[in-house]
Amino acid sequence: MMSRKPITRRDFLKVASVGPLAGVLVPAAARTGRSPLPRQAEEKVRVVLVRDPSPLGPGGAPPAEVVQRMLDDAVRALLGERDAVKAWKTLVRAEDVVGIKTNAWRYIPTTPEVEQAIKRRVMDAGVTEDRIAIDDQGVLRNPVFQKATALVNARPMRSHHWSGVGSLIKNYIMFVPRPADYHGDTCADLATLWDLPAVKGKTRLNVLVMFTPLFHGVGPHHYAKEYTWEYKGLIVSRDPVAADATGLRIIQAKRREFFGDDRPLQMTPHHIQLADTRHHLGVSDPNRIELVKLGFEEGILI
Amino acid sequence: MKRVVVYAAVLALLGGLVLMTEPIVPDFQKLASFIPPTIGPYVSEADQTFDAETIFDYIDGAGEVYRSYNMKILVARRFHKDGKPDIVVDLFDMGSPEDAFGVFTHDLDGEDAEVGQGSNYKAGLLSFWKDRYFLSVYAEEETAETKGLVFELGRRIDGAIPGRGETPDLLRHLPAEGLDTGRVRFFHNHSVLNYHFFVADTNILLLDQKTDAVLADYGSKDDRSKVLMVAYEDGGSAAKAGVSFARAYMPEAAEKGIVKTENGKWTAVRVNDRYVVIVFDMIAERTAAARLDAVVALMNGRADRMQEE
């Protein structure tokens, strides 16, 4: 059997001038033999970025009512509905059992404000509270998640010591008993998590929290407050790959701004690109993403 | 009587050998004993302990970094004072000084903190290695007070660890001229190599947990080049890896082992005994060959001395 040609540093050098995502895009495109050029004829995927200038609270989130408004605005814009509850009713049905997959990382969690804003709208869509659960590390043992017919995926984006960035795609790693089984090639194939029976076809909405993203990490915990900033945003999409690719562009722009050069992430976040080109979970190419921007633009970086 | 003496001598010798070859057993209690229970006004919470299997419960996928350096155990101790940022000590027993040094070199950014056998400090984080231990002391928010306590903790733990360790032997093959001594990394596997310097998306150098590798920077920021040395188990493995690298990385010049790459600089590879040596981003063909010669000369000189001994 012929093995494929490896992608080497020299391939990277050939395309280094293509742009800031070259290091991510080109190797992944070459792996699959697909062209990295945009497929213009295909429909674009919508991603909504909403930002609000309100001060953040001690937990790193804007006030609850502001978060609710941000989420509502984003979901309305995403689905083209004037009314937020009506929009949510197209996402979840009253008879659904809904798991809200959150992220409880000590330093930058999803935040209760985001969790509760999602839960409130799921309930407004007719789902009773006993059929809704919010969980992260306990999803495999959670009876609601075990019976879930719908999932809402919400987590912050941060740089990550092994996968490049902690992403929406990666947030489902708690649906396996041994997350380390997905660490190979620096988490290249995380998108396969989305084929697990507990997950497949159930995700109705993805919310990438960008209130205080981490753009660089140090030490065993890969965290230093110095490398976070108040971006005050949410990225919302039906497509987790498109949302992650958008968040990644912001993280990379912040790194360029902070470090003064195009410093690559410590680990290549190629799992986002491969989620598109290898696993067909969604769209990572910015040219195929329709980015809708809401709210204040200062320091938007994208 | 004579026979008894001989038996006794043999037994003593065997006992000595047993003692000499006794494997190092990671010991949570011993590790924890290096960390003071209090620091300034802070008191510690109950220790958390992890091994190479459970480390993911503590630091998620970042645990792969420590596993890639063959970590044995970790004791984590959190220091708390109401109204102040917590300080966290993570003390790893890496099983060998080489791997303690290696994991320290994984992140070399920061200022020299003059603690242990090599240290740095940045953004509230003090890291150092000593003997077979790697230590991280981290303040969740950097203030003048927490910075002082982080350093005090580091110095006290440094003082409590009795031994010192040797750096990996491979480092002695690095030519001194032009070497940036603050940018020398030791590691084993392909993922860590790519973390520091992307070579290829697949493992074209056939690295694994048994290979030892050093990646060193030479020159200044405007004229940066690198030396990568890998030690394999035997010459056959090295030869195979050398061919694998040359075919994948310089297919148009695999036989010659040197090529001008797309950035106008030179990459060259050579196999010497059980080692593969590669130089990247050399400014000229001549200097690439000269750098390889210098590394090989150090290797062979050392090998010759060892044979004489």
Side-chain angles (χ1 to χ4, degrees), chain A residues 4 7 9-10 183 221, chain B residues 64 90 198-199 201 252:
Chain A
R4 68 167 180 80
I7 309 304
R9 182 173 198 83
R10 294 182 62 188
H183 288 170
H221 301 271
Chain B
E64 291 289 2
D90 295 310
F198 177 79
V199 173
D201 65 336
E252 72 275 46

Side-chain angles (χ1 to χ4, degrees), chain B residues 104 107-115 118-122 125-128 151:
Chain B
F104 169 72
D107 184 358
L108 292 169
D109 288 343
E111 62 192 73
D112 183 359
E114 298 182 344
V115 183
S119 61
N120 58 46
Y121 177 84
K122 61 185 168 297
L125 173 72
L126 170 68
S127 304
F128 74 87
F151 272 80

Side-chain angles (χ1 to χ4, degrees), chain B residues 41 181 209 237 244 257:
Chain B
T181 54
Q209 287 306 107
S237 303
S244 167

Side-chain angles (χ1 to χ4, degrees), chain A residues 3-83:
Chain A
S3 57
R4 68 167 180 80
K5 180 180 175 294
I7 309 304
T8 72
R9 182 173 198 83
R10 294 182 62 188
D11 296 298
F12 176 77
L13 292 173
K14 285 176 197 164
V15 297
S17 59
V18 168
L21 276 175
V24 178
L25 293 177
V26 174
R31 283 164 198 251
T32 58
R34 286 166 172 240
S35 166
L37 297 173
R39 288 161 281 183
Q40 298 288 6
E42 295 179 36
E43 195 176 338
K44 289 192 173 187
V45 169
R46 183 173 289 184
V47 171
V48 179
L49 166 62
V50 58
R51 298 174 72 223
D52 189 283
S54 301
L56 303 181
E65 64 277 14
V66 173
V67 173
Q68 188 73 66
R69 191 176 67 237
M70 291 170 73
L71 183 67
D72 287 350
D73 290 349
V75 171
R76 287 191 300 108
L78 181 71
L79 301 176
E81 290 280 355
R82 294 184 66 175
D83 178 70

Side-chain angles (χ1 to χ4, degrees), chain B residues 17-294:
Chain B
L17 285 173
V18 167
L19 282 175
M20 282 162 60
T21 57
E22 187 181 2
I24 294 166
V25 180
D27 180 343
F28 285 114
Q29 278 191 326
K30 180 181 173 187
L31 200 58
S33 73
F34 296 145
I35 314 172
T38 61
I39 190 75
Y42 284 62
V43 294
S44 57
E45 299 176 355
D47 287 347
Q48 292 180 280
T49 57
F50 304 92
D51 61 23
E53 292 303 313
T54 59
I55 190 169
F56 299 118
D57 298 339
Y58 182 53
I59 53 173
D60 192 15
E64 291 289 2
V65 174
Y66 301 91
R67 283 162 58 96
S68 78
Y69 285 97
N70 305 308
M71 74 156 279
K72 301 297 182 256
I73 56 171
L74 158 67
V75 170
R77 186 174 295 176
R78 180 172 286 271
F79 292 84
H80 180 77
K81 164 78 179 160
D82 284 348
K84 306 277 187 183
D86 280 4
I87 297 174
V88 183
V89 171
D90 295 310
L91 181 50
F92 294 79
D93 183 342
M94 302 301 298
S96 73
E98 291 86 354
D99 279 326
F101 168 80
V103 79
F104 169 72
T105 66
H106 190 72
D107 184 358
L108 292 169
D109 288 343
E111 62 192 73
D112 183 359
E114 298 182 344
V115 183
Q117 292 187 251
S119 61
N120 58 46
Y121 177 84
K122 61 185 168 297
L125 173 72
L126 170 68
S127 304
F128 74 87
W129 77 281
K130 186 176 184 185
D131 195 8
R132 65 178 204 262
Y133 306 103
F134 171 72
L135 186 107
S136 153
V137 187
Y138 172 60
E140 292 195 336
E141 189 172 335
E142 185 185 34
T143 64
E145 182 186 21
T146 58
K147 184 175 179 179
L149 292 173
V150 163
F151 272 80
E152 189 181 335
L153 263 172
R155 283 190 283 264
R156 285 175 65 179
I157 297 167
D158 177 15
I161 297 172
R164 290 179 68 82
E166 289 289 320
T167 54
D169 204 43
L170 210 47
L171 269 63
R172 290 149 187 78
H173 303 151
L174 289 171
E177 188 181 347
L179 175 65
D180 184 344
T181 54
R183 313 299 291 179
V184 177
R185 327 265 188 182
F186 175 78
F187 54 94
H188 301 288
N189 69 35
H190 161 67
S191 295
V192 178
L193 169 62
N194 275 355
Y195 178 94
H196 297 303
F197 188 70
F198 177 79
V199 173
D201 65 336
T202 56
N203 185 13
I204 62 175
L205 275 163
L206 313 181
L207 302 176
D208 59 30
Q209 287 306 107
K210 292 179 192 161
T211 49
D212 290 343
V214 167
L215 179 70
D217 284 12
Y218 280 79
S220 60
K221 192 180 176 187
D222 299 328
D223 178 25
R224 184 71 81 187
S225 60
K226 290 185 187 290
V227 168
L228 173 64
M229 285 188 291
V230 185
Y232 295 84
E233 276 194 302
D234 52 53
S237 303
K240 193 174 164 191
V243 169
S244 167
F245 174 81
R247 282 184 180 161
Y249 202 86
M250 47 180 72
E252 72 275 46
E255 293 297 318
K256 203 176 167 194
I258 186 162
V259 70
K260 190 174 190 178
T261 56
E262 287 67 18
N263 57 355
K265 296 183 177 179
W266 292 82
T267 293
V269 59
R270 195 175 298 173
V271 178
N272 184 55
D273 190 25
R274 66 184 186 94
Y275 302 98
V276 171
V277 187
I278 305 169
V279 293
F280 291 96
D281 291 342
M282 297 298 292
I283 207 77
E285 184 174 9
R286 180 181 50 79
T287 54
R291 179 71 51 77
L292 282 182
D293 288 344

Side-chain angles (χ1 to χ4, degrees), chain A residues 201-242:
Chain A
K202 293 181 182 177
T203 303
R204 307 295 171 80
L205 191 71
N206 298 282
V207 180
L208 190 62
V209 179
M210 303 286 286
F211 294 149
T212 59
L214 178 74
F215 61 90
H216 184 67
V218 293
H221 301 271
H222 196 76
Y223 177 80
K225 195 174 180 184
E226 180 181 332
Y227 299 126
T228 65
W229 87 108
E230 293 192 356
Y231 186 72
K232 301 179 176 178
L234 293 176
I235 293 173
V236 178
S237 182
R238 301 291 304 271
D239 181 336
V241 184

